[in-house]
Amino acid sequence: MGKIAIIDTGTYYHHRVIHEDRFGHFFDQAIYIRDLCKTNLSAITTLIVPCRTDPAHLVAHRKLFADFLNDGKTVVAMGSTGPDKWLDDINWRFTPTNFWWWKEGGSLNLEVAEPEHSLFDYVKLADATWHHHGLLTPPAGATSLINANKAGSIFYDDRVTSPGRKIVTTLDPMYHHGNHFMPATSRFLDGFLPWLKSQ
Amino acid sequence: MGICLFINPIKGAGDDLPDIGSHAPNTAFVDQYDLDKTDLSQFAALILPAHIDQRFVGTRSDQITTFLDQGGTLVFNGHVAWPMLPELKPFVPLERQSLENLMIYRVNHHPVFDGVDCNDLTFKRGVAGFYARGSNPPPDGAIPLHVLGKEQLVCDWLYERPKGGRILMHSGNDLWMYIGSQNSTSRIVPQLCAWAGGE
């Protein structure tokens, strides 16, 4: 089975995800962001960039991520990390974040785009529904798993633009779980991390 | 009036830090990883955001302690997760995040919260929980300012250090999230900067 590493930016919300009991055991290695350039990733097969990691600190590692993918490995880019700035072939656009749809009687209009995908053996759409930060246009040949408003993707699986795999989302569950806020985000991680481990 | 030095948090993929300068005249800004190159003696207050790299702040413990010993003011926002200063203990979340437990009560008055209605702290668009969801436990001798629910969990406190300096704790999201608000919380930022600047 592959080994999963996650970047740790030293924020309290990453601490809760990475170093506390509920999810800590999913990670074989936590890599402090300022140590990323000197970390040996040879044993790591999946590298997670958690929500709200500052893209300013990832741009310098563009080549590291590209090399990691060229080795056939998986990069997971979570929401609010500006993946278009540090990964190739990412088309992300800003959209106003609708935090209040559930209070205003509206809907995020999310839909499962690929119901047979194994992710949905682990994650229910309801547990991926809180808000999202922008929309993605998946590259040709990649598979969108969740679409929003028929306007774009908020979660896709790209096995085509590199020898590796990019899992890209505009969801930010780690940030909100880390804030003890929004129980759906914790339930999302309850499914998402075991799914990732199963890959 | 002295200058309040705000540490710029991560920029995420959006504009996380609102324009504080237009709401208080005595502000300066520095990126978090430039803290070690900053002469703190020229500032009255050091203001740490919730999004900061606490692992890095922990490496600046001596610098911040010296700043406090010389009479400086430290304002901390967020949940304490990593060792930083002897006065800061790890965050304790509410055991049950019921509406009753999320109510904010003022137990001592303080100039930063002068004229701020506790109902405006408890509720945002009718939803409770944005202000605080637990406590960074106060050191012995600290004055509690705001508490949560019937458990009286102290979420805001002021500590006048025996060796000099003072620490204002807010165990929640950045207090400047209230910039531009349409209720009494709009008083917080100008009052925070005035108090921290030694007005």
Side-chain angles (χ1 to χ4, degrees):
Chain A
M1 188 177 281
K3 288 192 182 298
I4 297 178
I6 186 166
I7 290 174
D8 178 0
T9 64
T11 54
Y12 68 84
Y13 37 88
H14 286 174
H15 183 277
R16 183 169 190 228
V17 173
I18 298 168
H19 301 287
E20 294 190 19
D21 290 344
R22 184 160 172 172
F23 299 119
H25 61 280
F26 285 107
F27 312 114
D28 298 290
Q29 190 174 348
I31 302 170
Y32 180 45
I33 189 158
R34 305 194 88 200
D35 294 336
L36 182 56
C37 59
K38 58 185 179 195
T39 301
N40 182 352
L41 297 173
S42 59
I44 301 301
T45 51
T46 298
L47 179 57
I48 303 174
V49 178
C51 328
R52 294 239 181 175
T53 299
D54 189 344
H57 302 300
L58 297 168
V59 170
H61 303 295
R62 247 192 112 85
K63 184 174 183 304
L64 178 150
F65 290 110
D67 289 348
F68 192 79
L69 288 161
N70 281 331
D71 286 343
K73 299 175 174 182
T74 298
V75 172
V76 181
M78 304 299 294
S80 285
T81 60
D84 51 315
K85 298 180 178 70
W86 48 273
L87 284 176
D88 292 333
D89 302 300
I90 304 283
N91 184 337
W92 173 88
R93 64 186 184 280
F94 172 82
T95 56
T97 303
N98 182 357
F99 294 102
W100 296 98
W101 58 272
W102 54 278
K103 187 92 176 140
E104 295 165 347
S107 166
L108 288 175
N109 293 318
L110 300 185
E111 61 181 11
V112 172
E114 190 70 21
E116 301 306 314
H117 193 281
S118 59
L119 176 73
F120 299 110
D121 295 335
Y122 293 80
V123 175
K124 292 186 290 189
L125 185 62
D127 294 338
T129 304
W130 57 95
H131 57 246
H132 53 87
H133 292 279
L135 290 173
L136 298 155
T137 302
T143 304
S144 180
L145 304 188
I146 305 174
N147 290 337
N149 268 329
K150 300 190 186 303
S153 176
I154 64 163
F155 192 120
Y156 73 73
D157 188 355
D158 171 10
R159 295 169 179 266
V160 294
T161 60
S162 74
R165 182 179 186 187
K166 287 174 227 170
I167 296 165
V168 186
T169 180
T170 64
L171 295 170
D172 58 350
M174 291 141 178
Y175 174 66
H176 292 290
H177 171 76
N179 272 290
H180 300 261
F181 206 15
M182 298 188 195
T185 61
S186 307
R187 293 194 299 268
F188 178 89
L189 293 172
D190 281 335
F192 176 66
L193 292 172
W195 171 74
L196 207 53
K197 199 83 177 169
S198 76
Q199 297 301 291
Chain B
M1 191 194 300
I3 302 294
C4 299
L5 180 66
F6 282 76
I7 304 300
N8 275 335
I10 65 151
K11 292 167 280 291
D15 45 354
D16 288 320
L17 187 66
D19 180 9
I20 295 164
S22 62
H23 293 263
N26 58 330
T27 51
F29 301 88
V30 66
D31 283 344
Q32 62 175 344
Y33 294 129
D34 289 336
L35 182 59
D36 55 352
K37 301 188 251 321
T38 302
D39 173 12
L40 293 180
S41 66
Q42 59 188 311
F43 300 105
L46 176 63
I47 305 198
L48 299 181
H51 294 276
I52 204 159
D53 177 349
Q54 296 186 2
R55 294 178 70 162
F56 177 68
V57 174
T59 70
R60 306 312 306 157
S61 184
D62 289 349
Q63 181 191 17
I64 297 170
T65 297
T66 300
F67 169 73
L68 287 165
D69 288 346
Q70 292 170 349
T73 294
L74 176 71
V75 178
F76 187 94
N77 299 266
H79 304 173
V80 173
W82 290 92
M84 288 176 278
L85 294 171
E87 294 88 349
L88 305 186
K89 298 177 191 141
F91 180 75
V92 177
L94 279 168
E95 277 191 24
R96 203 169 65 85
Q97 300 199 340
S98 62
L99 174 59
E100 189 179 53
N101 286 344
L102 289 168
M103 297 287 286
I104 307 292
Y105 297 102
R106 184 162 299 142
V107 288
N108 282 294
H109 285 277
H110 187 274
V112 170
F113 301 104
D114 188 34
V116 177
D117 186 332
C118 281
N119 254 340
D120 292 340
L121 296 177
T122 299
F123 296 107
K124 184 175 176 182
R125 297 178 71 165
V127 178
F130 286 91
Y131 189 73
R133 309 177 75 81
S135 167
N136 297 320
D140 289 344
I143 299 166
L145 303 178
H146 289 124
V147 298
L148 279 162
K150 286 187 174 172
E151 291 180 33
Q152 299 269 298
L153 207 55
V154 180
C155 58
D156 296 345
W157 46 261
L158 174 69
Y159 182 54
E160 302 270 0
R161 296 170 75 248
K163 286 187 173 178
R166 53 192 184 167
I167 299 173
L168 178 69
M169 169 60 69
H170 169 54
S171 313
N173 209 342
D174 296 334
L175 284 171
W176 45 96
M177 67 179 164
Y178 292 113
I179 279 180
S181 84
Q182 299 300 306
N183 60 33
S184 66
T185 57
S186 66
R187 298 174 65 97
I188 292 175
V189 165
Q191 291 177 171
L192 172 72
C193 292
W195 172 79
E199 185 184 61

